[in-house]
Amino acid sequence: AGALRTGRTTARSERVLSVELAFGVTAFAPRWGVPATLNPRYTFPQFVVGRSNEGAYAAASAAAVAPGTLYNPILLVGGTGLGKTHLAHAVTAEAALRDPLRVAELLTADDFLHRLSTALGRGTPELMLDELARASLIVVDDVHVLDRHATAQEALLSLASRAVSAGRQLMLTSDDATG
């Protein structure tokens, strides 16, 4: 099988996504709405599947193929170093590669806090949440960071409600199930 190679772009509105596909071929394709912070090593083929994480892998894979249809929302909870961030990057990259028109958002909880803080300062938090909710796939990594931020928790709940009711895929990761 051949790889899709469109080369790198210099347009500011485009981001270049480079990931390893299931066939072991690297593809470079411009994508709108795909974070430039994707780690190209965090792909599905590089993920080690075992009995303890096969359910998480299956749910993330299904979300990448058909966002918002089978498992929605998805919450991955586990200790540090167990692959939650790896799956967050893999599902975002794979979803974007499968459909060039799909907008996928990958944020850390810190990124979410920063965007929310900026939006609150401008008086536009609803606009920020509406913009995020338009993505086909929304992944927020390390939501346990929000455990002491009531406003951010409320905003995340609002985003979850908007996204899931509109058939958008929501995936959250956390180190702590109690927060």
Side-chain angles (χ1 to χ4, degrees):
L4 167 66
R5 288 185 178 266
T6 60
R8 296 201 177 264
T9 181
T10 58
R12 285 186 176 187
S13 63
E14 296 180 1
R15 300 236 171 106
V16 176
L17 176 63
S18 170
V19 300
E20 188 171 320
L21 299 173
F23 304 109
V25 179
T26 301
F28 298 94
R31 296 287 183 258
W32 290 266
V34 175
T37 57
L38 278 177
N39 187 329
R41 294 177 310 180
Y42 289 171
T43 62
F44 285 119
Q46 299 295 326
F47 189 77
V48 178
V49 181
R51 268 192 272 153
S52 66
N53 63 12
E54 62 191 356
Y57 179 84
S61 297
V65 171
T69 56
L70 190 55
Y71 304 105
N72 198 25
I74 296 172
L75 173 62
L76 301 180
V77 179
T80 302
L82 296 179
K84 299 175 305 295
T85 296
H86 187 133
L87 285 175
H89 285 249
V91 72
T92 305
E94 186 71 21
L97 281 174
R98 288 180 171 272
D99 183 350
L101 300 177
R102 182 176 289 148
V103 175
E105 287 280 354
L106 170 65
L107 303 161
T108 65
D110 287 331
D111 294 336
F112 183 79
L113 273 170
H114 177 73
R115 285 172 83 167
L116 179 61
S117 176
T118 300
L120 286 167
R122 294 181 180 152
T124 60
E126 295 298 317
L127 183 63
M128 187 267 301
L129 293 173
D130 287 343
E131 181 181 302
L132 278 175
R134 282 194 289 273
S136 298
L137 171 73
I138 305 146
V139 180
V140 184
D141 194 18
D142 293 332
V143 295
H144 58 274
V145 169
L146 306 178
D147 68 347
R148 292 194 175 104
H149 301 277
T151 302
Q153 290 176 17
E154 291 171 17
L156 185 61
L157 182 60
S158 177
L159 173 62
S161 177
R162 294 169 198 220
V164 173
S165 67
R168 312 291 195 207
Q169 181 68 52
L170 178 67
M171 183 169 145
L172 308 172
T173 73
S174 179
D175 288 354
D176 184 8
T178 62

